[in-house]
């Protein structure tokens, strides 16, 4: 029997299905299942001529799947390689093997991807874009759109084809000690980046003052706080938001709404001044 080999055209088609449609028909019940299935269809159609074999393979990819989309491209590549091995009669690859691998990689890759992409890369790019947007310049927005899309496309493409090349060998690396070390390192870097961005672009100050009977200010709360710890209110608000989201599991949208309410009450009470220049 002639060995079946996926063509570069089919692999690219599969990758593009994932790149453009990883959130296809996204629901809380299925998450990225249908996007994953769509990316595997070109693989299945090329490897199998028999309709029954195609149905069996399609059914394999109806299991629940959800991970970080950019880094998660490596899982699609790995399973493309495994599906190729199964089509060539490998006894070591079956439905249980493929779904076990997918389920085992979802969590670790989500941790790496969220730390590396959401927690590090995007804040860095946004920080640069904000700097370029000073004075209302559109350059910052243009920079972010172009650079992010280039990095996302070529990064995901690299991950996909690297997963295809490595096949099952990628599992040991991603979930073993090396993968754990990468996640810890990326988490530390991500925390540093988020802290730097917050310190640069977030500023919270109070306009609260106390005056004597003659109208002379004898207590300026902001000056007092700055003399003890410059940026104390800013740091306090950032830590408070982190505590709400990380410890209390409150969604970012609810935290933003809470901040709006706090700001409104603070302005009405005279603690904040919307016209205060920061």
């Amino acid at each position: 029997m002639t060995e079946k080999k996926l063509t570069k055209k089919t692999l690219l088609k599969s990758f593009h299905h994932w790149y453009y449609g990883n959130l296809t028909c996204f629901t809380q019940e299925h998450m990225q299942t249908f996007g994953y299935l769509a990316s595997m269809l070109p693989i299945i159609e090329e490897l199998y001529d028999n309709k029954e074999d195609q149905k069996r393979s399609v059914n394999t990819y109806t299991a629940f799947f959800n991970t970080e989309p950019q880094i998660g491209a490596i899982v699609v590549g790995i399973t493309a390689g495994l599906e190729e091995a199964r089509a060539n009669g490998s006894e070591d690859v079956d439905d249980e093997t493929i779904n076990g691998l997918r389920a085992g990689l979802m969590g670790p890759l989500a941790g790496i991807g969220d730390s590396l992409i959401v927690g590090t890369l995007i804040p860095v790019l946004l920080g640069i874009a904000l700097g370029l947007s000073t004075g209302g310049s559109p350059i910052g927005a243009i920079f972010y759109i172009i650079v992010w899309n280039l990095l996302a496309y070529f990064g995901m493409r690299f991950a996909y084809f690297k997963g295809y090349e490595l096949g099952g060998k990628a599992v040991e690396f991603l979930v073993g000690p090396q993968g754990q070390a990468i996640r810890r390192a990326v988490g530390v870097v991500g925390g540093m980046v988020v802290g730097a961005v917050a310190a640069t672009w977030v500023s919270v100050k109070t306009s609260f003052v106390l005056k004597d009977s003659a109208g002379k200010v004898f207590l300026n709360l902001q000056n007092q706080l700055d003399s003890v710890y410059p940026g104390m209110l800013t740091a306090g608000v950032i830590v408070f938001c982190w505590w709400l989201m990380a410890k209390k599991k409150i969604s970012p949208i609810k935290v933003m709404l809470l901040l709006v309410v706090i700001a409104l009450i603070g302005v009405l009470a005279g603690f904040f001044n919307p016209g205060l220049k920061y």
Side-chain angles (χ1 to χ4, degrees):
M1 183 179 67
T2 304
E3 183 179 1
K4 298 179 180 180
K5 185 70 176 178
L6 291 168
T7 63
K8 183 71 172 292
K9 180 180 179 180
T10 299
L11 290 171
L12 279 173
K13 186 176 182 180
S14 171
F15 162 69
H16 286 135
H17 280 195
W18 176 256
Y19 177 72
Y20 291 112
N22 55 75
L23 298 181
T24 298
C25 300
F26 187 93
T27 66
Q28 293 301 314
E29 180 181 0
H30 298 289
M31 296 294 186
Q32 297 169 340
T33 300
F34 296 116
Y36 194 107
L37 176 58
S39 69
M40 292 302 297
L41 289 178
I43 304 295
I44 294 171
E45 290 171 355
E46 181 172 39
L47 290 175
Y48 303 104
D49 298 323
N50 186 292
K51 291 296 182 182
E52 291 302 318
D53 289 337
Q54 290 181 352
K55 290 179 182 179
R56 177 209 64 195
S57 295
V58 166
N59 187 63
T60 302
Y61 302 102
T62 58
F64 176 85
F65 184 76
N66 185 52
T67 190
E68 199 283 321
Q70 281 73 47
I71 302 297
I74 194 172
V75 183
V76 188
I78 290 172
T79 49
L82 292 177
E83 193 62 55
E84 182 183 77
R86 175 160 70 170
N88 284 307
S90 174
E91 297 180 356
D92 296 328
V93 181
D94 54 18
D95 289 356
E96 185 177 349
T97 301
I98 294 174
N99 282 323
L101 181 143
R102 292 199 303 160
L105 289 180
M106 284 193 302
L109 287 180
I112 294 174
D114 289 343
S115 299
L116 181 61
I117 306 298
V118 181
T120 304
L121 179 60
I122 290 179
V124 168
L125 294 179
L126 287 175
I128 296 173
L130 287 170
L132 295 174
S133 299
T134 303
S137 172
I139 295 178
I142 295 172
F143 164 83
Y144 180 80
I145 292 171
I146 293 176
V147 174
W148 162 248
N149 280 284
L150 287 175
L151 290 176
Y153 178 83
F154 288 105
M156 291 173 71
R157 178 171 169 163
F158 173 80
Y160 178 93
F161 281 94
K162 182 57 66 175
Y164 172 71
E165 292 173 10
L166 293 176
K169 296 179 182 178
V171 179
E172 182 179 353
F173 173 78
L174 291 171
V175 302
Q178 290 177 310
Q180 295 176 4
I182 290 175
R183 290 195 294 276
R184 286 196 296 269
V186 169
V188 171
V189 174
M192 293 172 62
V193 170
V194 172
V197 171
T200 303
W201 296 105
V202 179
S203 179
V204 181
K205 295 184 178 180
T206 178
S207 59
F208 182 81
V209 296
L210 291 177
K211 300 179 180 179
D212 58 21
S213 57
K216 182 179 179 181
V217 176
F218 67 88
L219 174 63
N220 185 312
L221 182 58
Q222 185 60 52
N223 290 341
Q224 292 294 327
L225 292 175
D226 287 341
S227 66
V228 176
Y229 187 104
M232 180 183 291
L233 281 179
T234 300
V237 170
I238 293 172
V239 172
F240 176 63
C241 292
W242 167 82
W243 178 75
L244 290 176
M245 291 185 288
K247 300 299 182 181
K248 295 300 181 179
K249 306 301 179 182
I250 299 176
S251 70
I253 294 178
K254 291 182 179 179
V255 172
M256 287 188 286
L257 291 175
L258 177 60
L259 292 178
V260 170
V261 173
I262 293 175
L264 179 61
I265 296 174
V267 170
L268 294 176
F271 192 80
F272 298 125
N273 183 356
L276 185 64
K277 293 183 178 181
Y278 296 149

